[in-house]
Amino acid sequence: MSASILDGKALAADIRRRLTETVARRVEAGLRPPSLRVILVGDDPASAIYVRNKEKAAAKVGITGDVESLAADSSAEELRQRVEAANADPGVDGLLVQLPLPEQIDPAQVRSWIDPEKDVDGLHPENVGLLASGEPRFVPCTPAGCLALLQANGIEVSGRRVLIIGRSLIVGRPLANLLSMKGVDATVTIYHSRSRDLERLGPQAEIIVAAAGQAEFLRAEHVAEGAVVVDVGIHRVDDPAAPKGYRLTGDVHPEVREKASWISPVPGGVGPMTIAMLLKNTVDAHGRRMGVDGDG
Ligand code: NAD
């Protein structure tokens, strides 16, 4: 059996189309468009690409975006001032600071500076707490994208055994909170770098989300026949046979496709969903600030 594809590219396009309509309706009703500010510190090339992609995707749905760039040797205080200026700016609905940050700046501190009402990445301690208590304001974008991908493909989550591999603040942990929330109702196990026995735990799971950041480490022996597999990882690996000399791959080995019932591809799975959810969080933030509901 070859797995059906959890097509994140197509679903993300659908979500963007709906967001475009929502934004157009609000603008027609006389509101200013939603806005997203991204603060980028340093000159990491991968971060620059991610930020450009976010900006382009935002513009396409009618969100006005701007990027503030700070030098790599900026101090935490300089960054704090930029964050506070964006917090105080009534024209900014969504605010995020691109990660990773240079080593002189503590990301945990930065997360706590962002106005929780504008925190579209959902990483402020208040938003982490709201999700953990089952009343989320902003769900972090990658976990939100994983759940949307399952639900849109009619995959039942309620009561199912889900193994989440990884416990990071941006993927594993919030995903565990999201999937175990009342109303979503999965039975969640978190597997992490100190866990043991993937050979036993993996095949017990009905759904596996791989977010360990290790290229192709989830093998067929870790997966039950017919399981659903969501591949969050993204890696560039050398491949002399590929036109560019490299290819993109995930945390899941290609052999798993023959065993799973559903699988998300890399690229084209969770990646586009993450950006779509960032846009959704920004449109939601705008809606709350303007006093209109979700689709209004
Ligand atoms: P991270 O490095 O912060 O966390 C990785 C987690 O995996 C850790 O909690 C660790 O305990 C666990 N882990 C590491 N090695 C393991 C192993 N051998 N066995 C079991 N657990 C192990 O990474 P992250 O930020 O959560 O990202 C994970 C992956 O997802 C990366 O490849 C990243 O590039 C990718 N990612 C993709 C998107 C997207 O939009 N597609 C978004 C975020 C992250």
Side-chain angles (χ1 to χ4, degrees):
M1 180 177 71
S2 196
S4 303
I5 297 299
L6 293 167
D7 187 347
K9 202 172 160 197
L11 179 59
D14 211 44
I15 292 168
R16 289 197 306 267
R17 200 161 39 243
R18 274 181 275 144
L19 291 173
T20 307
E21 287 166 11
T22 300
V23 171
R25 231 179 357 257
R26 289 184 192 169
V27 170
E28 248 169 57
L31 301 178
R32 65 161 175 77
S35 76
L36 173 67
R37 175 160 305 164
V38 179
I39 302 179
L40 174 63
V41 189
D43 37 28
D44 176 47
S47 292
I49 293 170
Y50 289 142
V51 167
R52 207 160 41 242
N53 288 344
K54 288 173 186 174
E55 220 186 346
K56 272 201 243 164
K60 278 192 189 154
V61 305
I63 295 172
T64 57
D66 62 340
V67 179
E68 279 196 4
S69 296
L70 272 76
D73 61 357
S74 300
S75 65
E77 180 52 26
E78 283 170 280
L79 176 57
R80 194 182 61 78
Q81 285 175 11
R82 298 292 188 108
V83 169
E84 287 190 349
N87 286 345
D89 185 340
V92 172
D93 300 306
L95 168 63
L96 70 88
V97 176
Q98 182 66 35
L99 299 173
L101 288 164
E103 59 183 18
Q104 74 275 14
I105 303 177
D106 174 9
Q109 258 194 334
V110 176
R111 286 193 287 274
S112 70
W113 294 335
I114 293 174
D115 178 346
E117 308 267 355
K118 297 188 177 186
D119 171 39
V120 284
D121 267 343
L123 301 176
H124 185 284
E126 184 177 311
N127 289 322
V128 173
L130 283 170
L131 174 60
S133 64
E135 293 170 358
R137 178 194 281 136
F138 293 111
V139 177
C141 306
T142 302
C146 292
L147 178 59
L149 203 48
L150 293 170
Q151 288 176 329
N153 287 283
I155 293 163
E156 184 63 73
V157 178
S158 174
R160 309 278 298 272
R161 291 182 303 277
V162 181
L163 183 70
I164 298 174
I165 306 177
R167 58 174 166 182
S168 72
L169 188 72
I170 63 165
V171 188
R173 241 164 231 290
L175 183 62
N177 280 327
L178 180 64
L179 295 185
S180 58
M181 237 172 68
K182 216 171 171 52
V184 183
D185 299 323
T187 303
V188 173
T189 303
I190 301 181
Y191 190 94
H192 50 77
S193 51
R194 298 295 178 96
S195 302
R196 290 187 304 257
D197 231 2
L198 190 58
E199 292 72 16
R200 188 177 59 82
L201 289 172
Q204 290 174 3
E206 297 166 279
I207 300 173
I208 300 184
V209 182
Q214 310 282 334
E216 298 183 357
F217 90 104
L218 190 79
R219 307 293 303 241
E221 76 208 61
H222 303 131
V223 178
E225 191 77 45
V228 176
V229 177
V230 179
D231 191 352
V232 178
I234 179 147
H235 312 274
R236 187 190 268 207
V237 294
D238 292 339
D239 182 353
K244 291 183 180 166
Y246 68 85
R247 65 186 165 85
L248 294 180
T249 191
D251 277 7
V252 179
H253 194 280
E255 68 192 17
V256 173
R257 278 180 225 150
E258 297 310 314
K259 213 166 173 192
S261 58
W262 288 89
I263 196 162
S264 69
V266 178
V270 175
M273 289 302 295
T274 295
I275 295 195
M277 291 299 140
L278 172 66
L279 304 178
K280 180 182 178 299
N281 280 351
T282 305
V283 171
D284 286 351
H286 174 262
R288 279 198 284 268
R289 290 164 56 76
M290 299 289 151
V292 290
D293 47 352
D295 291 332

